[in-house]
Amino acid sequence: DVYKRQRRSLVGLLAGGAVLAGGGAAALAISGDSSLSPARGAGGAGTPAPSGPPSGAPATSAPSASASSADGPEPVVLAGPDAAPAWSRAGKYAPTCLEATDEVIMVVGRKSTSFLAAATGKRAFDALNTKDEFGASMGRHPTAHADGVFYLLCDTPDQFGLLMAFDAARGKVKWAVNLAAGDPGGAEVVSMYSKNYVAVAGKTVYVCGQVRELDGKSSFDEPTTGYIRAFDAATGKVRWEAKGTDINNVLVPPSGSRLLAASAVPAKKPGQVRMIDAARKGARGWKKPVPHTSYYFTTGWPLTCYAAGLFLFAGGAGDTLLAVDAATGREKWQRRFEARNGDQVRIGTPFPSVDGGTVHVPVGSDLVALATADGTARWVARLDGASDTGGANLFKASLRLGGRHAQCSADTVFATDSANTLWAIDEATGRARWKYTDDSQPDVGFLWTVGGDRVFIASHMTMTAIAARRS
């Protein structure tokens, strides 16, 4: 078993090789689809019109959402005090990605992986000689956390292409797998597997990306072939693998055995999303057609979300959020965002509250909170002012760039904007608790994560922690 031999040698190598590291807005209407009867809305008969924005194209205007009827929520313009950090500490190296629990922050860098105490920022454990030079980006996110374990796509000085699991309470290596060793062909490289992101659901760890055969016959004009590799979270043992042009941007919910994948960009045909059944080793389940030009068919980080048994994704011309039953694919409801002045409206990456009862939808300068059960708008939070480039200020999650631009704690919504500001928004009201602005951030924006009820921000070589309720 190639994977088993690699795990034994890697854990020994890493344990022995540990090193220490120092510490213009357009008015929008929000409405349900009035053409759907209750029976049709529950049964999934409606199909989005086959039109949409160019694949991957960012919004150029800043549409903002307001209720389409008298009983809808009035937008709340975000304004709040500057945050008072709980602590701030300088390090020796700029991190490439972060992951955190309520007690420990895993700080991944170009030379090592270190662990800091969430309460103080001081070193929690000795650093390990594992590294990730590319870090988190538009189409890549190499870290995950679940049930007291950190997972990381990384390299060591001697090996590359590893998946590793660390005990978050001790900072020790649980297991390590050389992903390249499991590629078809063994020692002979016959395929190139990109490793875009790692995710965890229950007792399974998933690595997702794209694969390209190195036989000289494939073309970059052909639809992208994606893959999913499933590993046992306790041991690192491989469970199954699936691949195909219908597997891209795989969404892995934190629980359950159903995954959602988008097809590669097809030629002049409607695209589709489809369910992947992890309980049946990646067997294909239901599928639903959607416009082939929708942005989430591009490769990279998932641009869909899961909440309370529903998969949610954009349809129509990118202006309609659809909610379908994860088990059956039946449409439960849809919510359309309509510009009143002719500007094009497109939904950004939706994201759920921790309890799954609310889905947050970024639309340009607005963040709209919808009830997961029926799509009812609860509140609308609106940005004001200009971005760092002089245009309208937008929520980064609305730009459909992938990656971590918004995240929730128990009762707080964290979201970044294009003016280098991180907002802490009350989950119940949509009002800002505080804001944190750093004009020295790199062009890619904040490098940050949430652990428990704190948010941790890396700005070059400085790490800052802010409590969700502190102002």
Side-chain angles (χ1 to χ4, degrees):
D1 185 342
V2 175
Y3 279 119
K4 189 178 294 184
R5 293 197 301 272
Q6 289 290 340
R7 285 198 303 276
R8 291 199 198 102
S9 62
L10 283 170
V11 171
L13 170 68
L14 292 161
V19 294
L20 295 179
L28 277 184
I30 308 172
S31 62
D33 188 342
S34 59
S35 65
L36 289 178
S37 65
R40 186 180 176 209
T47 300
S51 62
S55 177
T60 56
S61 61
S64 56
S66 60
S68 61
S69 60
D71 58 354
E74 289 293 328
V76 176
V77 177
L78 291 177
D82 292 331
W87 53 260
S88 185
R89 292 185 179 276
K92 293 183 177 180
Y93 308 103
T96 61
C97 50
L98 307 173
E99 198 69 42
T101 69
D102 57 350
E103 295 184 350
V104 177
I105 316 162
M106 180 174 70
V107 183
V108 184
R110 291 182 172 85
K111 295 183 177 294
S112 64
T113 299
S114 57
F115 303 90
L116 305 179
T120 64
K122 296 180 179 180
R123 190 181 70 195
F125 318 116
D126 290 349
L128 298 175
N129 61 350
T130 58
K131 60 183 180 179
D132 185 279
E133 293 192 16
F134 299 103
S137 63
M138 185 171 71
R140 185 175 187 271
H141 202 90
T143 64
H145 164 260
D147 300 324
V149 180
F150 290 125
Y151 300 93
L152 174 64
L153 298 173
C154 61
D155 304 317
T156 69
D158 301 313
Q159 299 193 54
F160 67 94
L162 309 179
L163 169 64
M164 301 190 64
F166 305 100
D167 185 332
R170 300 186 302 150
K172 301 294 184 181
V173 178
K174 288 176 61 69
W175 51 259
V177 171
N178 189 318
L179 298 173
D183 290 348
E188 181 184 358
V189 178
V190 298
S191 303
M192 182 175 66
Y193 279 69
S194 65
K195 301 160 184 67
N196 288 5
Y197 46 96
V198 59
V200 189
K203 297 180 180 180
T204 306
V205 183
Y206 300 91
V207 175
C208 306
Q210 282 73 49
V211 59
R212 182 167 293 278
E213 304 299 331
L214 302 179
D215 54 7
K217 298 178 181 179
S218 60
S219 168
F220 282 94
D221 295 329
E222 295 178 356
T224 304
T225 297
Y227 74 88
I228 308 170
R229 283 179 172 171
F231 299 86
D232 186 289
T235 65
K237 182 179 179 180
V238 65
R239 287 183 167 175
W240 54 266
E241 177 179 327
K243 65 179 181 178
T245 58
D246 59 343
I247 297 180
N248 281 276
N249 287 10
V250 180
L251 174 67
V252 179
S255 60
S257 61
R258 299 180 182 93
L259 317 181
L260 184 69
S263 66
V265 180
K268 300 180 181 179
K269 296 180 180 179
Q272 67 180 24
V273 292
R274 76 179 308 155
M275 187 264 283
I276 305 295
D277 192 342
R280 298 172 56 209
K281 296 186 176 181
R284 271 64 165 179
W286 56 262
K287 59 183 177 181
K288 187 175 180 65
V290 289
H292 72 275
T293 50
S294 292
Y295 47 83
Y296 48 80
F297 294 118
T298 58
T299 58
W301 181 267
L303 298 174
T304 55
C305 84
Y306 170 90
L310 302 179
F311 287 129
L312 299 105
F313 50 90
D319 59 356
T320 303
L321 185 70
L322 292 93
V324 303
D325 186 283
T328 65
R330 289 184 175 180
E331 187 177 298
K332 291 295 186 179
W333 53 263
Q334 60 176 261
R335 179 69 58 177
R336 187 181 180 206
F337 298 80
E338 184 179 40
R340 297 184 186 278
N341 64 354
D343 282 2
Q344 190 174 29
V345 177
R346 286 175 288 174
I347 299 168
T349 308
F351 60 99
S353 60
V354 173
D355 63 8
T358 304
V359 174
H360 306 93
V361 187
V363 189
S365 295
D366 282 11
L367 183 64
V368 184
L370 303 179
T372 303
D374 58 10
T376 302
R378 290 178 167 170
W379 50 258
V380 178
R382 175 167 296 172
L383 293 171
D384 195 11
S387 71
D388 58 352
T389 59
N393 194 11
L394 309 176
F395 282 103
K396 282 292 185 73
S398 74
L399 300 178
R400 299 170 300 283
L401 298 177
R404 183 175 287 161
H405 300 297
Q407 196 177 355
C408 294
S409 68
D411 62 357
T412 307
V413 180
F414 298 99
T416 57
D417 66 18
S418 54
N420 292 319
T421 297
L422 172 69
W423 292 91
I425 302 170
D426 188 302
E427 172 71 58
T429 66
R431 298 185 181 279
R433 288 184 174 150
W434 49 259
K435 66 181 187 296
Y436 179 83
T437 302
D438 185 352
D439 292 330
S440 67
Q441 284 287 320
D443 291 340
V444 294
F446 284 99
L447 181 60
W448 62 287
T449 192
V450 174
D453 205 32
R454 296 185 184 92
V455 61
F456 305 98
I457 305 164
S459 178
H460 302 290
M461 291 184 289
T462 300
M463 182 75 68
T464 300
I466 306 173
R469 289 185 169 275
R470 179 170 294 182
S471 61

